[in-house]
Amino acid sequence: MTARILDGKAVAARIRAEIRQAVEERLRSGLPRPGLATVLVGDNPASQVYVRMKRRACEEVGFASFGYHLPATASQEEVEALIRELNQNPEVHGILVQLPLPKHLDEERILSLIDLHKDVDGFHPINIGRLAQKGRKPLFVPCTPAGVMVLLEEAGVNLDGARAVVLGRSNIVGMPMALLLIRANATVTVCHSHTRNLPEETRRADMLIAAVGRPRMVKGDWVKPGAVVIDVGVNRVEDPTAPKGYRLVGDVDFDEVKEVAGVLTPVPGGVGPMTIAMLLKNTLRAAELADMERMSL
Ligand code: NDP
């Protein structure tokens, strides 16, 4: 069997076009331009690339983009003061603090300070808490898992009662991914570095979401024939033939798994573009929430 390859880039482009149109309509009807503030602390090269991509994507759909780059030595007080200032700024509808933060900073305190209505990354403990509770509705859902849910919909899968396996339990991907799948009525297994016999677990999955950060870890014989496999991983591997000396691969061994899976996402061009599309969607929603708040005053 050769898997159907899901084109995340094309799905994301469609979502971005819808957002661009929504922004034009907002401006025509006199509503403010949605604005996203990005906060980058330190010089992590991957973080710099991600922030640049997010800011560019904002500009392309007509959002205002406000970039704040603090030195790696920035104190907890300085970062907190910036978040408070952005919370007060009416032109800023969404605040994104690029993770990971330098080790000396208290990430939880910083994320908790973000105004719940501007928490477009969905990492505020209250939004995550609501995601974990039955009958509660978070204002925003973390972007990468939200993007995976859209891709699963594109794959035409019925999540109700399906067996889903999530590889990874990080705050950013694995854990919120598992919570979203549970809310969609899947039966979810979460695997991590202490899981015994991973291939045995993954072979049971109707849908397998890999988010471990280990290049090509998921092999063909880890996958149930016909399963939907979503590869979240982004890993640099050396490649002397590539212009930069490296290239990006996922957590899934693409060549092997495409012969077994029913649907598979590529890296790059799968989940990555969806993460950014979901960030834009969340920012538009934040602007709409601000409209509602203004109108109710
Ligand atoms: P983390 O390092 O925070 O988490 C990795 C998770 O994988 C942990 O739960 C860890 O287990 C588990 N794990 C690590 N090694 C193994 C192993 N050998 N066997 C089983 N489980 C293992 O990573 P993130 O969740 O932040 O990211 C995961 C991947 O997704 C990375 O490649 C990252 O670059 C990518 N990513 C992609 C995004 C996109 O938009 N496409 C966005 C965000 C991330 P334990 O908890 O026990 O340590």
Side-chain angles (χ1 to χ4, degrees), residues 144 168-170 173 192-194 198 211-214 217 232-235 251 271-272 275:
T144 301
R169 57 173 168 181
S170 71
V173 190
H192 44 75
S193 66
H194 296 250
L198 272 179
V212 278
R214 301 275 180 261
M217 189 174 91
V232 180
V234 180
N235 309 290
D251 291 342
V271 175
T275 297

Side-chain angles (χ1 to χ4, degrees), residues 150-231:
V150 175
L151 287 178
L152 288 173
E153 207 179 298
E154 286 287 322
V157 297
N158 181 10
L159 288 168
D160 203 307
R163 229 178 241 281
V165 171
V166 180
L167 280 183
R169 57 173 168 181
S170 71
N171 290 341
I172 294 176
V173 190
M175 194 58 82
M177 185 73 251
L179 295 173
L180 277 172
L181 289 165
I182 291 170
R183 286 172 88 97
N185 293 330
T187 300
V188 182
T189 302
V190 180
C191 299
H192 44 75
S193 66
H194 296 250
T195 300
R196 293 193 194 109
N197 204 342
L198 272 179
E200 199 175 284
E201 297 294 340
T202 56
R203 270 195 294 270
R204 276 200 277 266
D206 299 318
M207 56 215 51
L208 174 60
I209 322 295
V212 278
R214 301 275 180 261
R216 304 190 190 102
M217 189 174 91
V218 176
K219 300 294 176 195
D221 62 359
W222 290 35
V223 173
K224 178 175 169 176
V228 174
V229 180
I230 307 282
D231 190 355

Side-chain angles (χ1 to χ4, degrees), residues 22-35 62-64 90-93 283-284 286-288 290-292 294-295:
V23 173
E24 281 164 18
E25 278 164 24
R26 283 180 66 83
L27 298 179
R28 267 199 300 274
S29 40
L31 290 167
R33 189 182 289 282
F63 288 0
E91 287 177 42
V92 171
H93 300 101
T283 305
L284 177 62
E288 289 166 356
D291 298 340
M292 284 190 260
R294 265 194 326 275
M295 283 167 197

